[in-house]
Amino acid sequence: MTQETFCRAFSSLDDYRGEKVRPWLFKVAYHAFVDVYRKKTKQRFAFVEALPERCDQSAVDPAEHVVNKELWEVAHDYLEQLPEKQRQVILLSAMQFSYAEMAEVLGIELADVKRSLFRGRQKMRQLWREESK
């Protein structure tokens, strides 16, 4: 994906208008990912497994590791139940993007980013409460 992103970025340098590089590259990466994902719709992409909680997994207590893994799996299941836009905004938020950067990467309005983030978080809380009962 990295190679594909930079190949696409290089080939579309004419479209670069001097905005911040990070959101522009993530936008290119996002579109590259969507293209690859659509080609491999039969394979399930594991968002959660790609985001380790800690850099040094060997320093984690085994019991804590099992609990964290289960929590990640539950969060992954909840993310899969969200509409695509809400899932994307939540994942970008977890990567500490600003609202403006998320809007630029996804090509949507700032108000839509805020609304999708709020509704996505609300839906995840609701799913969590329903499972806790």
Side-chain angles (χ1 to χ4, degrees), residues 87-111:
R87 180 181 21 204
Q88 293 166 347
V89 171
I90 286 176
L91 289 171
L92 289 174
S93 174
M95 294 169 44
Q96 300 181 349
F97 274 73
S98 69
Y99 291 143
E101 290 173 334
M102 286 188 267
E104 188 174 336
V105 167
L106 297 174
I108 59 177
E109 297 293 322
L110 184 65

Side-chain angles (χ1 to χ4, degrees), residues 44-54 57 67-80 87 90-91 94 124:
R44 183 176 170 189
F45 183 80
F47 291 103
V48 176
E49 288 83 349
L51 302 170
E53 183 167 333
R54 295 187 180 163
Q57 290 294 330
V67 170
N68 286 336
K69 185 176 179 186
E70 288 177 2
L71 288 174
W72 274 108
E73 289 171 358
V74 169
H76 179 263
D77 291 341
Y78 293 163
L79 279 171
E80 288 292 319
R87 180 181 21 204
I90 286 176
L91 289 171
M124 286 187 73

Side-chain angles (χ1 to χ4, degrees), residues 24-67:
W24 180 74
L25 273 177
F26 269 95
K27 188 174 187 177
V28 172
Y30 169 74
H31 290 292
F33 166 75
V34 168
D35 291 344
V36 169
Y37 182 76
R38 286 181 182 150
K39 289 177 186 174
K40 298 181 179 181
T41 55
K42 294 180 183 177
Q43 294 180 355
R44 183 176 170 189
F45 183 80
F47 291 103
V48 176
E49 288 83 349
L51 302 170
E53 183 167 333
R54 295 187 180 163
C55 295
D56 184 11
Q57 290 294 330
S58 62
V60 178
D61 176 43
E64 182 181 344
H65 178 71
V66 169
V67 170

